[in-house]
Amino acid sequence: MRILMAMAGLGGGGAESFFERLAIAFSARKHDVLAAIRPYELRREKLEASGVSVHWIRFGGLADLASRHRIRRLIRKARPDVTLSFMSRAASFIPAGGASPHIARLGGYYPLKHYRTADHLVVNTQDIGRWLIAQGAPPDTVSYVPNFTVPSVISPAIRSDYAVPDMATLVVALGRLHRNKGFDVLLNALAKQPDLYLWLAGDGPERKTLDRMTDGLGLRDRVCILGWVDDPAPLIAAADIVAVPSRYEPLGNVILEAWSMAKPIVAAASAGPVSLIENGVTGRLVPVDDSLRLGQALADVSRLPDRGASLGASGRERLNAEFSEETVLDQYLDLFERLKTQTSA
């Protein structure tokens, strides 16, 4: 099958990382994959090394007619069996009424008006699917296909490089440093739990605020804000606990990453974690914006390492059953075949 995938994002956020992972997985199955992406050398190198054909598209604003012409020309020339767009900007550049279906993949609660040219919508949580249908999307145009992660053997980051004692409990948190991610709640939680250390990997508009909080709460000896990390897997491998304190989190790819390494998770009960985690079985859930309960849950897992190991093992079992690469790819390809058949009928 020839698959055109379009992504207008830059950097290494959750959607961008999964775009790469999915394109590489399709290519590994010997499908002909073309990636229309904004100029970003690191992404190009990674995709081309896996056999993906990369095409630069600037994906500017509404007046970027050159990019619209380029994507139309690419579709006419490549004649893909399906086009899969990630995020609203890329979706808006795919022309309507093409000879092959346009599938838009959504990882959040975004207005339907941004996906007018799409023939079908794929969501990575069932709750997003229900929300889209409530907004007016016909039920037969919405499909749920989860994300997957790729389990691998990772050498953990060295704790002593960041002044973390060998026997200390290390909490790792990842994500854009934005208020939605609730990292301020996590810092307040650690202030009440003096035996916990934290690595926080990410960058964003809250960086200075979180730095000031770290100093103001007297946490500088126990908290390291690492900035953006291209490959966070060694950080997760070194962790005792992975924290997901988000106020707003449609999915939470870090949960799947942590499960792949059998790490226990403590998360705020926002939409994504609630859809994934069975409280007390595959992780711990606490109320959103509750630093006291978050700190208590982290301390509980720290004090009971066997219980933490059980949470991590149960999470990995669920990952293998429902979120494996093979399972997710099969679901995507089944959807592609069905929509391709419907379009050609």
Side-chain angles (χ1 to χ4, degrees):
M1 182 173 288
R2 175 165 286 188
I3 305 165
L4 173 61
M5 299 177 62
M7 160 64 79
L10 284 175
E16 290 87 350
S17 296
F18 185 65
F19 174 90
E20 294 173 2
R21 195 178 305 146
L22 187 61
I24 290 168
F26 282 140
S27 182
R29 281 205 181 187
K30 307 304 181 185
H31 295 286
D32 185 8
V33 182
L34 301 87
I37 62 173
R38 290 174 71 183
Y40 184 45
E41 193 62 26
L42 185 62
R43 180 161 297 134
R44 181 192 67 78
E45 291 175 358
K46 188 182 298 185
L47 292 174
E48 289 187 342
S50 300
V52 177
S53 175
V54 174
H55 301 265
W56 288 145
I57 305 288
R58 192 168 68 88
F59 288 118
L62 292 174
D64 185 7
L65 300 181
S67 289
R68 295 184 185 279
H69 175 71
R70 186 167 296 175
I71 197 78
R72 287 177 183 272
R73 185 171 60 188
L74 176 60
I75 291 171
R76 284 198 304 268
K77 183 178 179 180
R79 300 178 63 185
D81 294 300
V82 294
T83 296
L84 178 65
S85 63
F86 272 57
M87 305 168 68
S88 59
R89 178 171 293 195
S92 70
F93 275 77
I94 307 301
S100 60
H102 168 205
I103 304 161
R105 183 264 188 194
L106 288 77
Y109 302 85
Y110 304 123
L112 281 171
K113 65 182 181 180
H114 297 315
Y115 301 93
R116 291 175 179 146
T117 68
D119 302 297
H120 202 87
L121 305 173
V122 167
V123 296
N124 60 2
T125 75
Q126 293 176 331
D127 190 62
I128 296 173
R130 288 188 289 267
W131 184 86
L132 288 173
I133 292 168
Q135 302 309 304
D140 61 351
T141 67
V142 179
S143 295
Y144 162 65
V145 183
N147 288 5
F148 67 86
T149 190
V150 181
S152 57
V153 178
I154 301 293
S155 297
I158 300 172
R159 293 183 176 208
S160 60
D161 287 350
Y162 303 95
V164 177
D166 288 340
M167 301 307 293
T169 296
L170 174 62
V171 179
V172 168
L174 313 170
R176 188 164 182 260
L177 303 187
H178 187 282
R179 188 177 184 279
N180 286 346
K181 295 297 185 179
F183 295 131
D184 57 319
V185 182
L186 181 57
L187 291 179
N188 281 320
L190 260 73
K192 303 177 181 73
Q193 301 296 336
D195 296 327
L196 303 180
Y197 285 69
L198 171 67
W199 288 347
L200 174 55
D203 207 350
E206 291 290 296
R207 175 66 184 265
K208 291 182 179 179
T209 299
L210 295 172
D211 269 323
R212 287 194 296 268
M213 279 190 69
T214 298
D215 289 328
L217 292 169
L219 295 173
R220 186 56 64 186
D221 291 342
R222 295 191 287 123
V223 172
C224 186
I225 301 177
L226 301 170
W228 186 258
V229 176
D230 286 326
D231 181 12
L235 305 180
I236 298 174
D240 295 300
I241 307 170
V242 173
V244 186
S246 303
R247 295 180 171 95
Y248 172 82
E249 188 67 69
L251 177 62
N253 283 304
V254 66
I255 295 173
L256 303 183
E257 299 285 350
W259 279 351
S260 75
M261 300 184 208
K263 299 295 181 178
I265 297 164
V266 176
S270 49
V274 167
S275 72
L276 292 173
I277 294 170
E278 183 180 354
N279 190 30
V281 178
T282 56
R284 288 285 301 275
L285 293 170
V286 300
V288 172
D289 250 330
D290 192 330
S291 62
L292 179 61
R293 295 279 293 277
L294 178 61
Q296 289 172 341
L298 291 168
D300 288 346
V301 175
S302 173
R303 283 192 295 264
L304 300 170
D306 289 345
R307 181 63 181 138
S310 176
L311 294 173
S314 296
R316 182 154 61 182
E317 287 177 7
R318 183 164 185 222
L319 177 81
N320 292 337
E322 300 181 40
F323 304 99
S324 69
E325 177 180 326
E326 182 178 7
T327 298
V328 172
L329 283 187
D330 285 345
Q331 291 180 51
Y332 266 108
L333 293 168
D334 287 346
L335 175 64
F336 292 170
E337 289 287 357
R338 175 165 59 84
L339 296 178
K340 178 185 170 186
T341 300
Q342 289 175 359
T343 303
S344 60

